[in-house]
Amino acid sequence: MAKRIFTSFAIEDERMRDLFVGQAKAKRVPYDLVDMSVKEPWRDSWKTRCRTKIKGCDGVVTLITTNLNQAGGARWEIKCAKDEGIPVIGVYIGGATANNAPAELNGIKKITWTWDGIASFVNSL
């Protein structure tokens, strides 16, 4: 059974997320990617549905970009995953550096985007 991986990202980086998901499909990675993109102002009902999805996943991959620090929804997703005990990894993408990782990722492993690195995280779950 494929592992379920929640993908957390800044909505401004939706194209990068699409590239990430598309490459995952092309590589036929042995896991399913899940996201709860916020396309409208989020409400408590979104948080409830999102928490349920995160709790149903084996891990969370957070795409770290220059937009992540300002992404309230993605930062909430990281905190939610940590609160629920779901393993999280940060993945630098699009030229992002350690300066772009929000405080919610303190103490969380961060890697550059390679499928081997992501596979290592997924296989450790």
Side-chain angles (χ1 to χ4, degrees):
M1 182 175 190
K3 293 192 177 162
R4 289 176 48 92
I5 303 300
F6 189 93
T7 309
S8 182
F9 62 97
I11 194 64
E12 295 83 2
D13 299 317
E14 191 170 25
R15 287 181 43 86
M16 285 194 179
R17 187 278 323 255
D18 292 347
L19 177 63
F20 182 80
V21 170
Q23 285 191 1
K25 288 178 183 175
K27 287 213 168 251
R28 298 182 185 177
V29 296
Y31 46 88
D32 297 321
L33 297 171
V34 176
D35 84 73
M36 286 284 294
S37 304
V38 179
K39 294 181 175 59
E40 58 189 52
W42 40 295
R43 295 174 170 76
D44 288 340
S45 61
W46 172 83
K47 286 183 177 181
T48 300
R49 289 190 322 271
C50 188
R51 182 174 297 277
T52 300
K53 286 213 179 214
I54 289 172
K55 286 170 59 172
C57 288
D58 299 293
V60 173
V61 171
T62 300
L63 302 181
I64 302 170
T65 65
T66 58
N67 295 311
L68 189 59
N69 268 311
Q70 290 76 42
R75 292 178 72 167
W76 181 88
E77 291 166 350
I78 297 163
K79 183 181 178 319
C80 175
K82 289 169 72 173
D83 290 348
E84 296 296 338
I86 306 297
V88 178
I89 191 168
V91 178
Y92 295 112
I93 189 168
T97 68
N99 293 333
N100 302 117
E104 289 81 0
L105 287 175
N106 288 348
I108 300 295
K109 182 177 180 176
K110 299 165 211 62
I111 63 171
T112 56
W113 180 9
T114 66
W115 288 112
D116 288 342
I118 293 168
S120 177
F121 168 71
V122 171
N123 291 334
S124 75
L125 302 174

